[in-house]
Amino acid sequence: MGISRKPKKTLLMLLAVIMTLSIVGCAGGNNKASEGKGNDGKTANTATTEPTAAAPSADEPGWKADISPITFDWYLNFAWFPNKWGVDPTSQYITKKTGVDINFIVPAGNENEKLNTMIASGKLPDFITLGFWEDNVKKMIEGDLVLPLNKLAEEYDPYFFKVSDADKLGWYTQDDGNVYGYPNSSSSPADYKTYGDEYVSNQTFVVRKDIYEAIGSPDMRTPEGFLNALKAAKEKFPEIDGQPIIPLGLHEFTATGNDSLEGYIQNYLAIPREKDGKLYNRETDPEYIRWMKTLRQANQDGLLAKDIFIDKRPQMEEKITQGRYFAMLYQRTDFAAQLGTLHQKDPNKVYIAVDGPANTNLDAPRLNGPGISGWTVTLISKAVKDKARAIKFLSYLNSEEGNKDLFLGEKGVSYDTIDGKDQFKPEVFDLMNKDRSAFDKQYGSSFTFWMLQNTNITNQWAPKAVEPYKQLEDWTKGKAYSNSEFDQIDPLGNSPEGIIGAKVKELRGKSFPKLLMASSDAEFDKIWTEYINKQNELGIDKFFSYQQVQYEKNKKKLGME
């Protein structure tokens, strides 16, 4: 689908930015403003009142006007985040440069419980970063707990508009016309025209290189080839270092499903997300059912180890490090650290990406590439201790300068100009690939702090991928697609449609193991029919109707209609 025009909200945002620039430009020349804002927000004319501070410039970074020490509390809704600000040279450099120190607040256990408690208290830390898909984004906005970034920028730092993407601001504009959060790792459909050839996906089907080659590097795109390869691997390598081989690894089974068995394999089968403008229930596609039955057959043939139904991520990471899986339908970045360990031990025993499950026509997969929603969004709390410093620091982090500082770190420490190009020093890059945890503490660059990372900016300094990561990345190039129009279409969890969605997910979580453990195709068919009928009884049509409305709104926002 082509993008023929800018979405209306984006055009309005652009007009607002132009007006802001015009006002600032008319306020005076040579960086001296003839008008300023009073504390009440009303215009104060310098001809009749006491002189006021110069109006903030839309062309100059606002943070440079005040680099006095200030500490912001920053909540990250990710219990796994291990790093602290100020330990490493990169964060120390940024604090010295901007005056801003950060106290990260990270939940020790369940993220939602921690954030819900803070929301209920009515007072949040200065900055909040969480996944764009989280219900709590809407709760904070609707609860009037966070500030509109556009209004903060208009009053304190119009430079924010210069360093922010108008399409992304348009995408995150709410019904009240305000923008409350800005994304990281975000790529708009327009970005695909500029950078798309280099975009990669996290979604990979991988095999252990030495075992795969030992069984003849078979074609695993068809159910028959897939099952035969798993069987051959188990027969030829029944044990790995004295422990049973695990022929196939999947993402963990949870109470709400399994990532590998949902959108992941559906993308490999190139199952469409919509047909004729209507969202398509991909679970009902014959290709999907065919491959779910293939996995059922794998279990019947003893090719699905019991481990995969019960292991959580820590157990899986341990077994990946041991090289016990033959094949995995798994997100490559989730096992990057383990892959690096394997490569150090023996480069021939790493995991490589190969062609995996495919549809009957053997079409290439359509994998998830970067989307406009990004990964996380960052918001500024209404209780923020200094509005001006907060939006100015956000602008800095969002700018090319901020992204360069967070990515490369301080010149002479983690990077230098080598062969005419700013790039990581060799020993720094080497440590990054060998021991990421040690790298984070010793250098803190390469987005140890990723809250506002923009890879479209930082690709100009990014080192070329090295093995064993390069092969996996390269395999996904040309197979990564934007699915932005399908982002953020789910209802809030406490809405009637959201409750239906939650019940369907719980049903899925209970049904998937039963389907794979069915003793025959006939039993699979019976469980499958019950599963679909139960979805209908729960009111899944109402859930899909809600999604359809949101999907159509998204297409308008993106100018796809």
Side-chain angles (χ1 to χ4, degrees):
M1 290 176 239
I3 300 174
S4 56
R5 57 185 172 83
K6 291 281 185 187
K8 289 181 182 177
K9 287 190 176 179
T10 299
L11 288 172
L12 290 172
M13 184 66 67
L14 287 169
L15 286 171
V17 174
I18 292 166
M19 288 174 69
T20 303
L21 294 173
S22 300
I23 291 167
V24 172
C26 294
N30 299 322
N31 295 327
K32 292 182 180 178
S34 58
E35 289 190 345
K37 291 278 186 181
N39 291 332
D40 60 358
K42 295 176 182 176
T43 301
N45 191 310
T46 54
T48 57
T49 63
E50 292 295 315
T52 60
S57 168
D59 296 312
E60 291 296 323
W63 64 266
K64 292 184 177 181
D66 183 359
I67 58 170
S68 60
I70 187 172
T71 299
F72 285 118
D73 293 325
W74 195 314
Y75 176 76
L76 294 174
N77 200 43
F78 299 91
W80 52 260
F81 184 77
N83 300 301
K84 294 185 183 302
W85 189 270
V87 171
D88 59 276
T90 297
S91 57
Q92 291 168 1
Y93 167 63
I94 291 171
T95 294
K96 183 179 177 183
K97 180 176 185 174
T98 65
V100 176
D101 199 356
I102 295 173
N103 171 43
F104 283 124
I105 300 169
V106 179
N110 185 290
E111 291 98 343
N112 286 332
E113 285 180 12
K114 174 75 172 174
L115 189 51
N116 282 330
T117 300
M118 290 194 296
I119 289 172
S121 76
K123 188 171 181 181
L124 297 167
D126 302 300
F127 290 89
I128 309 98
T129 296
L130 69 166
F132 77 80
W133 60 91
E134 302 277 0
D135 275 3
N136 279 323
V137 176
K138 291 180 181 177
K139 285 181 185 175
M140 287 186 285
I141 294 171
E142 291 173 2
D144 197 27
L145 295 174
V146 289
L147 295 168
L149 301 182
N150 52 304
K151 290 190 175 180
L152 287 175
E154 286 164 8
E155 185 167 359
Y156 302 110
D157 190 29
Y159 184 69
F160 172 81
F161 294 114
K162 185 172 184 176
V163 297
S164 300
D165 186 302
D167 282 343
K168 289 157 198 172
L169 290 173
W171 176 254
Y172 275 101
T173 297
Q174 303 296 310
D175 290 341
D176 65 1
N178 292 320
V179 182
Y180 295 89
Y182 198 83
N184 74 350
S185 302
S186 168
S187 292
S188 68
D191 286 332
Y192 272 75
K193 294 179 179 179
T194 307
Y195 312 104
D197 289 345
E198 292 302 308
Y199 283 160
V200 295
S201 175
N202 271 339
Q203 299 179 326
T204 46
F205 176 69
V206 301
V207 291
R208 213 179 96 170
K209 182 176 184 291
D210 57 333
I211 298 176
Y212 183 66
E213 290 173 353
I215 62 172
S217 304
D219 186 341
M220 298 181 70
R221 293 177 297 170
T222 66
E224 299 75 24
F226 184 84
L227 291 171
N228 287 338
L230 297 186
K231 185 178 180 184
K234 185 179 180 183
E235 286 177 352
K236 191 153 190 159
F237 300 90
E239 291 189 344
I240 305 294
D241 295 333
Q243 295 180 296
I245 192 174
I246 304 171
L248 180 66
L250 304 171
H251 279 272
E252 68 179 80
F253 283 83
T254 71
T256 57
N258 182 298
D259 287 345
S260 298
L261 302 180
E262 296 175 57
Y264 205 125
I265 194 169
Q266 291 162 5
N267 290 347
Y268 264 82
L269 303 179
I271 297 172
R273 294 168 184 264
E274 60 84 27
K275 289 187 175 182
D276 300 323
K278 299 293 181 185
L279 291 175
Y280 179 53
N281 185 356
R282 302 169 92 196
E283 277 191 337
T284 62
D285 193 274
E287 297 284 358
Y288 179 65
I289 297 170
R290 173 174 171 248
W291 271 93
M292 287 292 282
K293 284 187 172 182
T294 300
L295 294 175
R296 185 215 69 78
Q297 185 65 51
N299 187 65
Q300 182 178 319
D301 294 345
L303 301 173
L304 296 188
K306 289 185 174 66
D307 310 51
I308 71 170
F309 293 101
I310 56 175
D311 282 351
K312 299 301 178 188
R313 183 162 168 173
Q315 289 79 41
M316 295 173 71
E317 288 177 349
E318 182 182 352
K319 289 170 183 176
I320 293 170
T321 305
Q322 294 166 348
R324 286 183 61 193
Y325 297 99
F326 161 57
M328 293 189 291
L329 193 59
Y330 206 69
Q331 186 161 278
R332 63 180 174 80
T333 52
D334 280 10
F335 68 97
Q338 293 75 40
L339 186 62
T341 302
L342 286 168
H343 188 255
Q344 280 186 279
K345 289 179 183 174
D346 187 342
N348 200 43
K349 292 183 178 179
V350 297
Y351 288 96
I352 59 170
V354 297
D355 292 340
N359 61 31
T360 307
N361 294 329
L362 301 181
D363 294 323
R366 294 182 61 87
L367 308 178
N368 286 352
I372 196 167
S373 293
W375 168 32
T376 68
V377 287
T378 292
L379 308 94
I380 295 177
S381 162
K382 203 167 188 179
V384 67
K385 59 177 64 75
D386 189 321
K387 294 177 184 178
R389 292 292 294 279
I391 189 65
K392 289 173 182 178
F393 188 59
L394 192 69
S395 296
Y396 159 72
L397 295 176
N398 208 26
S399 69
E400 181 164 324
E401 179 181 8
N403 264 263
K404 184 176 184 180
D405 288 345
L406 284 165
F407 185 73
L408 286 178
E410 184 176 8
K411 189 167 188 178
V413 179
S414 51
Y415 87 95
D416 258 322
T417 305
I418 304 169
D419 298 329
K421 179 184 176 184
D422 288 344
Q423 55 186 295
F424 290 113
K425 295 162 79 171
E427 66 273 19
V428 176
F429 185 51
D430 187 54
L431 181 62
M432 187 198 309
N433 287 310
K434 283 183 177 174
D435 191 338
R436 178 69 205 212
S437 179
F439 168 88
D440 287 347
K441 292 174 176 60
Q442 191 168 330
Y443 294 105
S445 48
S446 189
F447 287 132
T448 296
F449 307 103
W450 36 256
M451 301 88 74
L452 273 301
Q453 70 180 11
N454 184 336
T455 50
N456 290 329
I457 289 176
T458 57
N459 273 345
Q460 62 187 300
W461 307 297
K464 290 184 178 178
V466 297
E467 299 301 356
Y469 316 102
K470 182 179 186 299
Q471 192 274 339
L472 274 66
E473 287 187 16
D474 287 349
W475 185 88
T476 70
K477 286 182 180 177
K479 304 179 182 78
Y481 293 83
S482 172
N483 293 300
S484 292
E485 65 270 33
F486 304 101
D487 282 353
Q488 303 193 56
I489 61 174
D490 286 349
L492 273 173
N494 60 359
S495 67
E497 297 86 357
I499 291 168
I500 292 169
K503 288 179 178 177
V504 169
K505 286 181 179 177
E506 287 173 14
L507 175 66
R508 185 175 295 132
K510 292 175 182 175
S511 300
F512 275 4
K514 292 179 184 176
L515 288 161
L516 299 195
M517 292 179 183
S519 59
S520 64
D521 277 355
E523 187 184 353
F524 178 100
D525 289 339
K526 182 184 175 190
I527 297 168
W528 184 261
T529 301
E530 290 172 356
Y531 170 58
I532 297 299
N533 288 343
K534 184 66 175 173
Q535 284 187 352
N536 292 331
E537 290 170 17
L538 289 170
I540 197 168
D541 283 350
K542 203 173 286 186
F543 176 81
F544 285 146
S545 294
Y546 178 94
Q547 286 189 322
Q548 181 68 31
V549 171
Q550 303 309 310
Y551 163 64
E552 289 170 6
K553 285 182 181 177
N554 284 352
K555 287 204 292 184
K556 287 179 182 175
K557 267 189 176 183
L558 295 168
M560 298 175 73
E561 285 192 343

